Amino acid sequence: MKKIAVLSGDGIGPEVMREALKVLSAAEKKYNLSFSYAYADVGGIAFDKHNTALPQETITICEEADAVLFGSVGGPKWDHLPVEQKIERVALLGLRKYFGFFANLRPAVVLKPLCSISPLRGEIVKEGFNFLIVRELTGDAYFGKKYSDANQASDEMLYTRLEVERIARVAFETARKRKKKVTCVDKANVLTSSIFFRKIVMETALQFPDVVLDFIYIDNATMQIIARPQSFDVIVTTNLFGDILSDEAAQLTGSIGLAPSASLNEKGFGLYEPMGGSAPDIAGKNIANPIAQILSAALMLRYSFAQEKAAQAIEGAVLRVLEQGYRTKDIMQKGCKEVGTKEMGTLIASGL
Ligand code: IPM
Ligand code: MN
């Protein structure tokens, strides 16, 4: 029996989460697995009830679980909060720091049936692409010293050797199971922290002679993933650059509503969440795309529970439903059948 902490959060979080749980329950039956769910408040809803976006009780529930399935947090209702109470910052950065989720895996895969909704030209996207961004998640400007007064403000971009070594190892180890290529994305032509990051990645590479390593500056990387997405296998990068690059990559796949992510700590404990936010404008309308949440659940089966078969089955079911022409509003195409959040979840669950 695996215990899953379910943190649905705000906006579309709860409705897409319901669909992911539907699919997990289908996977349970098919693969003879057994899950129990512990629900906890996070984000704006937690702030309203407990006066903080990350209550201690929620942390405890996560600690007692084998994995965390996370929805999304934040919304206009809480936008006025001062920086130290900001929903995304308290909830997401709080969980990342507390559990040490340093490795953020963000796959960028263009699914065949969705080639034509990619903003990339047909000739670029027709061969498909499949790369993985390994974003460092607990360092950089996000967690460095902050300073501000009336006339100036700063965020320190700090990386330690240990932090770079461990994210580099994750990238090389992951590349070994893929096309054995790692691209380090940094700004080593300007930033001292990037020069350091690059140097430690290079040193770590010596333990992985079977993996090819190359380097590219972040500004160039934003162009190359558009011009030549096929040239990437695994990208390893710092927290801030990874944040930006992964949104760009998600859009290349057609919709951020398709993009899952995994955040892992040194013990292999993981949090799984869609890359997109809480999308308050479409919440409660049964139009949100549940696929990112469903694929996040598949990543949980893969990385936390070592259920590769079940993970692939979910990914396969998503692909088949898309091949059959079903689409949520965000990925709607001519000649396809538009379905709502619930219908999409049901189709994928029964497709298993
Ligand atoms: C993400 C988000 C977060 C980040 C924000 C909401 C704190 O954009 O997970 O990519 O910047 O890491
Ligand atoms: Mn982001």
Side-chain angles (χ1 to χ4, degrees), residues 6-21 39-40 42 45 69-74 78 272-274 276-285 288-290 292-294 341:
V6 179
L7 278 54
S8 304
D10 311 313
I12 62 169
E15 52 192 300
V16 293
M17 185 65 83
R18 269 194 293 278
E19 303 316 310
L21 298 183
Y39 297 84
V42 73
I45 186 172
L69 196 56
F70 190 97
S72 53
V73 293
W78 305 282
Y272 302 85
E273 62 172 323
S278 57
D281 51 319
I282 60 164
K285 297 183 180 160
N289 190 341
Q293 190 76 56
I294 291 167
T341 310

Side-chain angles (χ1 to χ4, degrees), residues 224-278:
Q224 296 308 324
I225 68 167
I226 293 174
R228 273 172 282 281
Q230 292 86 4
S231 65
F232 296 99
D233 180 23
V234 173
I235 289 176
V236 66
T237 188
T238 54
N239 199 348
L240 184 58
F241 297 154
D243 177 46
I244 300 164
L245 209 55
S246 60
D247 266 27
E248 188 193 7
Q251 187 61 61
L252 299 186
T253 69
S255 166
I256 190 125
L258 299 164
S261 81
S263 303
L264 307 173
N265 71 12
E266 281 186 334
K267 295 190 193 113
F269 182 58
L271 177 147
Y272 302 85
E273 62 172 323
M275 272 196 246
S278 57

Side-chain angles (χ1 to χ4, degrees), residues 142-199:
Y142 278 68
F143 292 97
K145 281 196 204 86
K146 314 243 159 221
Y147 176 81
S148 83
D149 63 31
N151 300 311
Q152 50 188 339
S154 70
D155 299 276
E156 174 190 50
M157 292 176 121
L158 177 74
Y159 267 115
T160 66
R161 172 180 289 273
L162 266 167
E163 284 172 333
V164 186
E165 276 172 0
R166 66 182 180 180
I167 195 68
R169 270 199 302 274
V170 170
F172 288 118
E173 274 157 14
T174 316
R176 269 190 174 155
K177 298 181 208 134
R178 298 172 50 104
K179 287 186 255 154
K180 296 192 165 54
K181 182 177 171 201
V182 170
T183 302
C184 173
V185 172
D186 57 45
K187 189 73 188 168
N189 49 348
V190 178
L191 300 175
T192 309
S193 56
S194 271
I195 295 171
F196 181 77
F197 191 90
R198 187 180 272 218
K199 177 175 149 232

Side-chain angles (χ1 to χ4, degrees), residues 85-154:
Q85 289 182 308
K86 279 249 175 285
I87 299 297
E88 292 87 345
R89 193 159 149 172
V90 172
L92 283 170
L93 303 199
L95 282 166
R96 289 171 189 172
K97 190 91 224 167
Y98 185 87
F99 288 100
F101 291 131
F102 71 96
N104 185 215
L105 311 185
R106 299 191 154 183
V109 184
V110 67
L111 301 168
K112 262 266 157 66
L114 297 180
C115 270
S116 58
I117 60 157
S118 169
L120 295 179
R121 273 206 313 281
E123 65 197 88
I124 294 175
V125 86
K126 70 169 185 284
E127 309 159 45
F129 59 83
N130 180 338
F131 62 91
L132 175 74
I133 298 179
V134 176
R135 167 189 176 194
E136 200 292 325
L137 204 59
T138 50
D140 204 358
Y142 278 68
F143 292 97
K145 281 196 204 86
K146 314 243 159 221
Y147 176 81
S148 83
D149 63 31
N151 300 311
Q152 50 188 339
S154 70

